[in-house]
């Protein structure tokens, strides 16, 4: 019988399991299609970080914080 | 030259999503509605639309204006104060029952509520209203915000009961209507 210890399983979440950061964004572009819907300008929209940053780079939303 | 003349029988298709519905991380309201995917999966199908009638409320004022031909003529000025779409449906659905019984909360089967508690009876949300000609081609696709109210009180008898509702438009900057196959000759 082998006495070699079994390798410990990693407790770190895999990248796909990690909780997605949700950003609160103020919509600038009226009729923006994001977050599964269509938003009016001024709406505070919750978007995943990568999507929020993409729309902010286009000047369509302004990130105001995290959810 | 002529307009794109079409003799049509218009069929209507209605889907609804209520204010407060959660879509992903966001909540439906006058400033947000679910995207219209091809199958409208985030929207509730209202079933067969038997008939739809637009019915604006128009306030008319009349002024007496001098006519170049002599005398005075009546000149009307119209002011539309409300836009309503009257819709007759084949089928009952949850909001219809809620309105008929004056319930203040969404119906959950088996959970009792106080009937006739709601005094201003309406269900607010987005209506996706599509019109097709008898050639199967879309003519308009409207996404409009407003309130559904009972239009005619039901008669519950041996005959099928067909709900009649009125959809009252409420302004939203993202309400839209997309015309198709209308202008092009």
């Amino acid at each position: 019988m082998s006495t070699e210890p079994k390798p410990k399983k990693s407790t770190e979440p895999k990248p796909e399991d990690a909780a997605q950061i949700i950003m609160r964004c103020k919509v600038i572009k009226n009729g923006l299609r994001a977050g599964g819907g269509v938003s009016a300008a001024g709406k505070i929209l919750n978007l995943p970080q990568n999507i929020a940053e993409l729309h902010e780079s286009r000047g369509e939303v302004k990130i105001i914080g995290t959810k | 030259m002529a307009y794109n003349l079409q003799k049509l029988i218009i069929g209507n298709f209605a889907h609804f999503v209520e204010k407060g519905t959660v879509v992903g991380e966001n909540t439906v309201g006058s400033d947000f509605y679910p995207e219209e995917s091809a199958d409208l999966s985030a929207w509730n199908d209202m079933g067969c639309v038997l008939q739809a009638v637009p019915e604006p409320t128009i306030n008319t004022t009349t002024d007496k204006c001098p006519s170049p031909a002599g005398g005075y003529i009546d000149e009307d000025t119209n002011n539309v104060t409300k836009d309503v779409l009257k819709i007759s449906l084949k089928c009952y659905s949850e909001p219809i029952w809620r309105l008929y019984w004056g319930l203040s909360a969404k119906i959950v089967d088996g959970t009792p509520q106080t009937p006739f508690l709601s005094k201003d009876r309406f269900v607010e949300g987005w209506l996706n209203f599509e019109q097709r000609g008898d050639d199967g081609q879309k003519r308009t696709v409207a996404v409009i915000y407003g309130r559904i109210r009972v239009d005619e009180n039901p008669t519950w008898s041996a005959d099928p009961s067909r709900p009649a509702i009125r959809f009252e438009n409420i302004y939203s900057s993202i309400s839209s209507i997309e015309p198709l196959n209308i202008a092009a000759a």
Side-chain angles (χ1 to χ4, degrees):
Chain A
M1 200 172 149
S2 170
T3 55
E4 202 173 306
K6 286 178 183 174
K8 281 184 181 175
K9 279 184 182 174
S10 171
T11 53
E12 274 190 15
K14 291 176 187 171
E16 62 267 29
D17 295 337
Q20 206 169 26
I21 298 171
I22 301 296
M23 311 300 286
R24 285 167 57 78
C25 308
K26 187 164 188 177
V27 175
I28 296 167
K29 184 190 171 191
N30 198 53
L32 174 72
R33 289 178 181 270
V38 178
S39 301
K43 162 87 175 166
I44 305 298
L45 200 59
N46 298 316
L47 294 174
Q49 187 175 14
N50 57 336
I51 304 292
E53 287 171 355
L54 174 72
H55 286 292
E56 191 178 47
S57 71
R58 294 176 183 167
E60 295 169 342
V61 302
K62 182 175 171 50
I63 295 173
I64 55 174
T66 52
K67 190 185 169 192
Chain B
M1 196 165 156
Y3 286 117
N4 180 18
L5 301 173
Q6 305 170 330
K7 185 180 179 185
L8 289 173
I9 297 170
I10 308 290
N12 306 290
F13 302 86
H15 290 73
F16 190 76
V17 63
E18 194 172 340
K19 179 185 178 183
T21 303
V22 176
V23 179
E25 295 288 337
N26 299 290
T27 306
V28 171
S30 64
D31 54 4
F32 182 79
Y33 66 79
E35 203 153 9
E36 322 91 298
S37 57
D39 59 354
L40 291 171
S41 55
W43 296 69
N44 298 302
D45 188 355
M46 298 185 82
C48 167
V49 176
L50 301 171
Q51 181 177 292
V53 183
E55 197 180 78
T57 303
I58 304 171
N59 286 344
T60 304
T61 53
T62 305
D63 297 292
K64 300 280 185 193
C65 294
S67 166
Y72 284 78
I73 55 167
D74 288 342
E75 194 170 285
D76 291 344
T77 306
N78 286 344
N79 182 29
V80 177
T81 53
K82 188 184 281 186
D83 275 296
V84 169
L85 199 55
K86 295 174 77 167
I87 300 171
S88 300
L89 299 167
K90 178 184 170 189
C91 299
Y92 273 59
S93 54
E94 188 274 331
I96 308 287
W97 282 106
R98 200 188 325 166
L99 289 168
Y100 282 160
W101 282 98
L103 305 180
S104 54
K106 215 169 188 171
I107 291 171
V108 177
D109 286 336
T111 304
Q113 288 191 50
T114 307
F116 310 123
L117 195 64
S118 170
K119 298 305 173 196
D120 190 9
R121 294 170 191 171
F122 62 83
V123 178
E124 192 166 315
W126 286 94
L127 176 70
N128 184 303
F129 196 76
E130 186 181 301
Q131 296 184 292
R132 286 176 183 255
D134 46 348
D135 54 1
Q137 299 290 308
K138 290 181 186 177
R139 291 303 188 286
T140 67
V141 180
V143 185
I144 40 182
Y145 191 71
R147 287 175 175 169
I148 290 175
R149 294 184 191 271
V150 171
D151 188 48
E152 287 171 25
N153 292 321
T155 302
W156 293 321
S157 67
D159 299 321
S161 172
R162 297 186 175 95
I165 58 168
R166 49 194 286 120
F167 180 85
E168 300 173 353
N169 177 60
I170 297 174
Y171 172 77
S172 168
S173 64
I174 49 172
S175 290
S176 70
I177 182 162
E178 184 184 5
L180 300 152
N181 307 305
I182 291 175

